[in-house]
Amino acid sequence: MKKKHVKFIFVTGGVVSSLGKGVAAASLGAILEARGLRVAILKLDPYINVDPGTMNPFQHGEVFVTDDGSETDLDLGHYERFISTRTSKRNNFTAGQVYDSVITKERKGEFLGGTVQVIPHITDEIKSRIRAAAEGVDIVMVEVGGTVGDIESLPFLEAIRQFRYDEGPENTAYIHLTLVPYLEGAGELKTKPTQHSVKELREIGIQPDVIICRSEQPLSKSIKAKIALFCNVKEEAVISAITVSHVYAIPLHFHEEGMDDIILETLGVWAAEPDLKAWKSINRALVSPKKKTRIAIVGKYVHLKDSYKSLNEALVHGGIANKTKVELIFVDSEELTSPDECAKRFADVGGILVPGGFGMRGIEGKILAARYARENRVPYFGICLGLQIATIEFARHPACITTRSGPVDRLPRVKSAIVEASCPVPRWLSCAVYMRRLRMSRALTSHQTTSPSKRVSSLICGSSRRTLVLAGTMNSRRCVPKSDSVSCRNT
């Protein structure tokens, strides 16, 4: 029996960055999956960084962490939200990883002393990583980061050019996403940027099969005909991609434009008509919600919304499930300087979310937000650092915790397991440490844990010198305390 050949679809971008290659690739993947095909998607990043884990969120947006712990590009979040695939380390690699791998092989002598060059060694490494993701699927979609014309992306473009030579034209398809700007003064759409972008792509040997044109207005038939003529594609292969109210409308829009039919025809694939009921249901929930709520996201990277992209979309998904429109209010934690400022910013919000972060910048504003939420009974969701913020705020105010040297101003710096309190400890203090299962152990008598995996904090309270012992285990994944009360003993 002849082995079924995997098909490859390559997505590139031109004119400017941030046109939405990731969303476009994910949307096409969603339609193909709705037609019964198994789809895998990769993101190739031309930058020299090994991974985006240490990159500034203002430059690169969020870091999407996969199930295997890999720190990857935010586009992998789009892939997982649009199709059923679970991404891993192999779904994203950078120029830094490629060069590191080739240099390591050269140092081990695997090239037998030969001259190591971009072609074929770097391009072969890129192609082998792409093929590694082809196991068990029908179609592999590959998004090439950056913009055509960038010098750092040339090895990646050369590698995908070679794919058509290696795999055959019936097994490869090229999609180019470009911009068709509307000039207010001229009152018309301009196709010249698209023509030049495709010209540059063709100069390196890649002829696009489909051109997706981002624009603020739908492309007329004459505009599509002009682009098709100058870019050497079929007129029906020029896809109008207008700006929509939300990204989850894009799969339906691409299907209306007939893009999935063109791609499958190019690849010689027969597939059933797509079942888009789920996508239509999602769009109905977004267009005609029954309720509305406002959620404040308090962080220090809010000026670039992509810094918290997955959290933003998770809140939108929660709204879809509950037929509720979720309006996201982004609040810079450095601008929260007083309780009055919090009252002004959070007056009409239905919840406050504090995401993760690093460093001391903006911490005090986050603590003020947590205090406002607690005192005004506003639902609060703390993720990673956000949960630590809630614990610090609770320790400072209701628990009145101080160190031996004074009030706790930065609780994470407290190294001792014993801190002093100047007020009675409420029985419900366990809520501040609900991420640790309460466990009574030898710490009741020695204030020492019996194994490195346990943590004990003792609160010496009031004049009675009672000791409250809170013992938990770090390797427990449960978030439910063993009991609702805490135990005290006289000292």
Side-chain angles (χ1 to χ4, degrees), residues 318-343:
I320 293 171
N322 292 279
K323 295 181 173 57
T324 300
K325 180 181 180 181
V326 180
E327 182 182 354
L328 302 180
I329 310 299
F330 295 92
V331 179
D332 189 337
S333 59
E334 290 190 283
E335 296 176 359
L336 297 178
T337 56
S338 67
D340 290 340
E341 182 67 23
C342 288

Side-chain angles (χ1 to χ4, degrees), residues 155-405:
F156 291 88
L157 295 175
E158 170 60 20
I160 69 171
R161 181 198 69 80
Q162 292 177 15
F163 252 92
R164 177 156 284 185
Y165 175 81
D166 296 339
E167 304 293 332
E170 71 280 4
N171 296 313
T172 54
Y174 298 104
I175 299 175
H176 190 55
L177 175 64
T178 183
L179 177 69
V180 178
Y182 178 79
L183 297 186
E184 193 72 36
E188 62 180 352
L189 294 167
K190 290 296 184 180
T191 65
K192 193 63 71 177
T194 294
Q195 294 176 40
H196 280 285
S197 182
V198 173
K199 177 176 177 288
E200 184 132 15
L201 193 62
R202 293 173 66 188
E203 284 178 353
I204 59 177
I206 297 175
Q207 168 62 54
D209 300 294
V210 173
I211 300 175
I212 303 176
C213 301
R214 274 295 306 273
S215 62
E216 295 298 322
Q217 299 181 6
L219 302 185
S220 64
K221 185 174 178 61
S222 61
I223 290 290
K224 285 187 174 185
K226 184 177 181 180
I227 293 173
L229 176 63
F230 282 92
C231 298
N232 196 32
V233 297
K234 298 177 181 179
E235 187 176 328
E236 58 268 24
V238 179
I239 307 299
S240 176
I242 59 173
T243 302
V244 293
S245 58
H246 53 83
V247 295
Y248 303 107
I250 297 175
L252 297 178
H253 174 74
F254 279 176
H255 179 62
E256 291 172 0
E257 288 280 312
M259 186 166 74
D260 50 323
D261 290 327
I262 297 165
I263 290 294
L264 293 180
E265 181 184 346
T266 301
L267 296 173
V269 175
W270 180 92
E273 284 298 308
D275 181 3
L276 298 173
K277 292 178 182 177
W279 286 102
K280 292 177 181 178
S281 176
I282 289 171
N283 278 268
R284 282 195 299 270
L286 287 167
V287 173
S288 304
K290 295 181 179 179
K291 295 175 287 185
K292 179 180 178 181
T293 189
R294 305 177 85 222
I295 303 296
I297 298 178
V298 182
K300 56 185 177 183
Y301 307 118
V302 295
H303 298 294
L304 179 64
K305 295 179 181 179
D306 278 353
S307 298
Y308 305 113
K309 187 64 178 176
S310 291
L311 298 182
N312 303 346
E313 296 304 315
L315 291 170
V316 172
H317 288 193
I320 293 171
N322 292 279
K323 295 181 173 57
T324 300
K325 180 181 180 181
V326 180
E327 182 182 354
L328 302 180
I329 310 299
F330 295 92
V331 179
D332 189 337
S333 59
E334 290 190 283
E335 296 176 359
L336 297 178
T337 56
S338 67
D340 290 340
E341 182 67 23
C342 288
K344 178 182 176 182
R345 294 292 190 96
F346 304 138
D348 56 351
V349 301
I352 296 173
L353 185 149
V354 178
F358 301 92
M360 293 303 299
R361 183 170 64 88
I363 289 292
E364 295 301 323
K366 295 177 182 179
I367 293 174
L368 283 172
R371 183 175 187 178
Y372 177 89
R374 178 181 55 78
E375 293 178 344
N376 294 274
R377 303 185 69 82
V378 176
Y380 177 93
F381 188 9
I383 299 176
C384 193
L385 176 63
L387 177 59
Q388 298 175 33
I389 290 295
T391 306
I392 295 169
E393 190 283 322
F394 187 90
R396 282 187 182 182
H397 302 113
C400 306
I401 297 178
T402 62
T403 65
R404 294 187 183 279
S405 58

Side-chain angles (χ1 to χ4, degrees), residues 422-456:
S422 58
C423 67
V425 179
R427 290 175 61 82
W428 44 275
L429 180 60
S430 57
C431 71
V433 287
Y434 74 92
M435 290 297 287
R436 300 285 181 261
R437 293 170 57 190
L438 296 183
R439 177 178 297 174
M440 295 302 103
S441 66
R442 295 178 186 177
L444 288 170
T445 56
S446 64
H447 301 305
Q448 300 295 325
T449 59
T450 57
S451 71
S453 67
K454 295 179 181 177
R455 280 185 179 175
V456 176

Side-chain angles (χ1 to χ4, degrees), residues 137-155:
V137 298
D138 301 311
I139 293 178
V140 176
M141 299 190 63
V142 182
E143 176 196 349
V144 181
T147 305
V148 171
D150 295 342
I151 191 169
E152 61 265 25
S153 65
L154 286 176

